[in-house]
Amino acid sequence: MKRKSIAENLFYNMLYQVLVTVLPIVTTPYVARALGLTASGIHSYTESMVTYFTLFGALGTSLYAVRKIASVRENEALLAHTTLEILGLKIILMLATLAVFIPSLCVGSEYAFLYRIHIINIVATGLDVSWFYQGVEDFKKVTIRNLLMKLLFIIALFVFVKTPEDLPIYVLSIVCSSLLGNLLMIYYLPKYVRLKPSGPLKPFAHLKESIALFVPQIMNYVYVVLDRSLLGWMTGTDNVGIYDQAQRLVRMIAGMMQTLGYVMMARISNLSATNDTEGVRKYIHKSIDFTLFLALPAVAGIIAVAPDFIPLFLGEEFLQVVPTLQILSVVVLTSSCNSILGVQLLIPLRRDKVYTVAMVSGAAVNVLVNLLLIPKLGVFGACAASITAELVVFFICFFSTRDMISVKAVLKNNIFVLLASVVMYVLVTAVAQLNMHIALKLLAEVGVGVAVYISVMAVTKNEIFLNILSKGLNLLKRRG
């Protein structure tokens, strides 16, 4: 099977992440104003509860499947057989999840009407085959699917969601667009693999390794989702709405930093299968430099512009999101680094036990800190728990991958990136003191920040910046 280049896959993954980042600039203010704080909090709370079921319904198959498909993709017969077995396992898990979810939450619970809509969400999770396209390194199909479904969701959002009473319609728009997108990906599968079994299928043969990756995956969701659930239980849904808005913004930006994640996971899995250790080191250092090039200025920028961005973006009702977002901005850096060490390195190298220990430790610390601090500090206690958990995961993963990473090289390549981010923060906060219309001031802050950072990168001849500039100029020349 012809393999696309990392640059091409990164382009398509970046394209999608840019869309995911840009679209909420339009949709989030609209949703916040249309639904209001209470309905937004109810949605965040119910969604966090459903996430536990979708997580158990997937049972680690997504991460496992990407690695497995990447390792067998050169053998067409084995690729087809493996794909059918994994898809069969996912459907079995989906049915088992529904058998528990429906009687648990869809009957008699406070928000049963929303949970019934989320049945579609669980079905969509079971039919998701994006892992196949990621494993064969064809991110174009995944990106186009995601683009189409995002646009479909936006149309439904602006047409049908007007008031807090439209919350069920909002949820229905989300889950239906997800299901349609996954059905579209299944439609394209026969162009890659033969959907007729050549022999007896053994879907449960993949269960053991999937469960091994399920443990760290569920631990990751514990400290991403559990704090919302605990906030709802301990302090009420309004605090969940505040915390969730900040978390969504941070995770959205972190997603931009992690565009290389599954691209590199598939490539490194393939290199690891052929024992190309030097190739693995080469690609992982490129990934680290690329991630820090984006993540460090992102953290500085979030802290600097949050006081003007939040009231303009979400409205005065969400002013409490400002300090929450500033504190959580650190997660952009920590989660991006953890993605490199875990998803891009430990999993492809089959160091699953180390990854599991890291994620379990992070989740345990997260739960403990949440229980201790949420009653005293509320939203800020949840922020502290999230950051502490991320740091625990980072140190465990880093200690276990230090044989593959040169700290000296990382520092040498990124010292000016750090300095540029600090300078950018100082100048942007100076602009923030100007007495002018908030929208114009925000534009000035962003403009100054971008200009300062790019200027320092150009003067210091940052390799990542020069590569991006070179590829951009070459693209313009070809089109010209």
Side-chain angles (χ1 to χ4, degrees):
M1 181 176 292
K2 185 179 178 181
R3 184 174 65 185
K4 290 179 169 60
S5 68
I6 285 181
E8 183 178 354
N9 284 323
L10 179 58
F11 167 77
Y12 284 114
N13 218 11
M14 279 288 288
L15 177 64
Y16 174 64
Q17 291 298 337
V18 167
L19 181 74
V20 169
T21 303
V22 171
L23 287 183
I25 295 176
V26 178
T27 60
T28 301
Y30 179 82
V31 171
R33 287 168 172 80
L35 295 182
L37 182 59
T38 299
S40 295
I42 291 171
H43 169 61
S44 299
Y45 175 71
T46 53
E47 187 181 51
S48 71
M49 297 301 291
V50 173
T51 299
Y52 297 124
F53 287 88
T54 57
L55 185 62
F56 276 95
L59 205 63
T61 51
S62 296
L63 283 175
Y64 165 75
V66 173
R67 184 176 72 183
K68 186 66 176 180
I69 294 298
S71 65
V72 302
R73 67 189 182 199
E74 310 300 338
N75 185 324
E76 291 187 11
L78 185 56
L79 174 64
H81 198 79
T82 302
T83 300
L84 289 172
E85 288 183 335
I86 294 175
L87 181 57
L89 176 61
K90 284 179 65 68
I91 291 173
I92 293 170
L93 293 172
M94 173 193 74
L95 295 174
T97 302
L98 287 173
V100 177
F101 177 76
I102 292 174
S104 298
L105 292 178
C106 297
V107 180
S109 64
E110 183 179 2
Y111 303 116
F113 66 102
L114 291 178
Y115 290 128
R116 292 185 195 116
I117 297 173
H118 274 292
I119 290 174
I120 301 172
N121 191 6
I122 294 174
V123 172
T125 301
L127 298 179
D128 180 19
V129 293
S130 58
W131 43 268
F132 172 84
Y133 297 93
Q134 292 164 350
V136 299
E137 294 191 50
D138 185 358
F139 284 77
K140 182 177 180 179
K141 289 283 192 308
V142 178
T143 300
I144 292 174
R145 181 278 304 264
N146 289 334
L147 291 175
L148 289 174
M149 293 308 109
K150 286 291 181 184
L151 292 174
L152 183 64
F153 163 69
I154 288 172
I155 293 171
L157 172 65
F158 286 112
V159 172
F160 299 112
V161 180
K162 306 291 184 182
T163 68
E165 287 70 33
D166 295 327
L167 176 58
I169 299 175
Y170 175 64
V171 176
L172 186 64
S173 300
I174 294 173
V175 298
C176 284
S177 62
S178 177
L179 177 61
L180 288 173
N182 291 342
L183 291 174
L184 184 63
M185 298 305 290
I186 291 177
Y187 173 79
Y188 285 112
L189 261 186
K191 296 183 179 181
Y192 292 82
V193 292
R194 187 170 177 264
L195 292 180
K196 291 183 179 180
S198 55
L201 295 176
K202 299 178 180 179
F204 290 107
H206 302 276
L207 187 59
K208 183 178 178 180
E209 288 191 64
S210 292
I211 291 175
L213 289 175
F214 170 68
V215 174
Q217 194 174 11
I218 194 172
M219 292 301 105
N220 178 58
Y221 273 94
V222 163
Y223 68 78
V224 169
V225 178
L226 184 63
D227 29 20
R228 287 186 292 175
S229 301
L230 290 175
L231 270 174
W233 293 333
M234 294 180 177
T235 67
T237 55
D238 282 2
N239 275 337
V240 178
I242 292 166
Y243 182 75
D244 184 61
Q245 290 292 352
Q247 272 281 16
R248 285 178 186 273
L249 288 168
V250 165
R251 297 293 173 183
M252 177 180 70
I253 297 169
M256 286 288 294
M257 312 300 114
Q258 297 168 24
T259 49
L260 271 177
Y262 283 100
V263 176
M264 293 299 289
M265 180 184 172
R267 179 60 57 90
I268 292 175
S269 292
N270 193 258
L271 290 171
S272 179
T274 58
N275 297 314
D276 187 355
T277 303
E278 287 306 312
V280 172
R281 287 197 179 98
K282 171 187 171 184
Y283 280 115
I284 211 66
H285 277 88
K286 285 185 176 181
S287 183
I288 291 172
D289 291 344
F290 178 80
T291 299
L292 293 179
F293 176 82
L294 296 175
L296 288 173
V299 172
I302 291 170
I303 297 172
V305 307
D308 291 324
F309 175 76
I310 291 301
L312 186 66
F313 188 58
L314 297 177
E316 297 293 329
E317 188 180 12
F318 289 87
L319 280 177
Q320 288 177 276
V321 174
V322 174
T324 307
L325 178 61
Q326 290 176 317
I327 296 170
L328 284 177
S329 64
V330 179
V331 173
V332 172
L333 178 61
T334 56
S335 65
S336 300
C337 291
N338 289 342
S339 175
I340 295 172
L341 299 176
V343 175
Q344 297 181 36
L345 196 53
L346 288 174
I347 292 176
L349 295 179
R350 295 185 176 274
R351 300 181 186 180
D352 299 349
K353 290 183 180 179
V354 174
Y355 188 51
T356 299
V357 169
M359 301 307 293
V360 170
S361 300
V365 169
N366 179 267
V367 172
L368 179 61
V369 177
N370 267 317
L371 292 174
L372 290 173
L373 296 185
I374 285 180
K376 298 178 181 178
L377 302 177
V379 171
F380 299 132
C383 292
S386 185
I387 293 171
T388 304
E390 292 276 359
L391 290 174
V392 168
V393 173
F394 171 78
F395 285 116
I396 293 175
C397 288
F398 176 74
F399 183 80
S400 303
T401 56
R402 65 191 187 281
D403 59 313
M404 303 297 294
I405 298 171
S406 169
V407 176
K408 183 178 179 181
V410 172
L411 292 175
K412 178 181 177 182
N413 292 341
N414 294 283
I415 185 64
F416 286 114
V417 173
L418 176 60
L419 292 175
S421 301
V422 172
V423 172
M424 182 189 76
Y425 168 78
V426 172
L427 293 178
V428 170
T429 51
V431 173
Q433 305 307 311
L434 297 177
N435 185 19
M436 56 194 299
H437 188 275
I438 188 170
L440 295 177
K441 186 164 63 171
L442 183 60
L443 286 174
E445 290 168 9
V446 173
V448 168
V450 171
V452 168
Y453 186 69
I454 289 177
S455 298
V456 176
M457 291 299 94
V459 170
T460 58
K461 297 181 179 179
N462 179 270
E463 184 178 348
I464 299 294
F465 172 75
L466 293 179
N467 285 338
I468 294 173
L469 183 63
S470 175
K471 290 183 182 296
L473 292 174
N474 289 336
L475 181 63
L476 290 175
K477 287 179 180 178
R478 287 200 300 269
R479 292 191 172 183

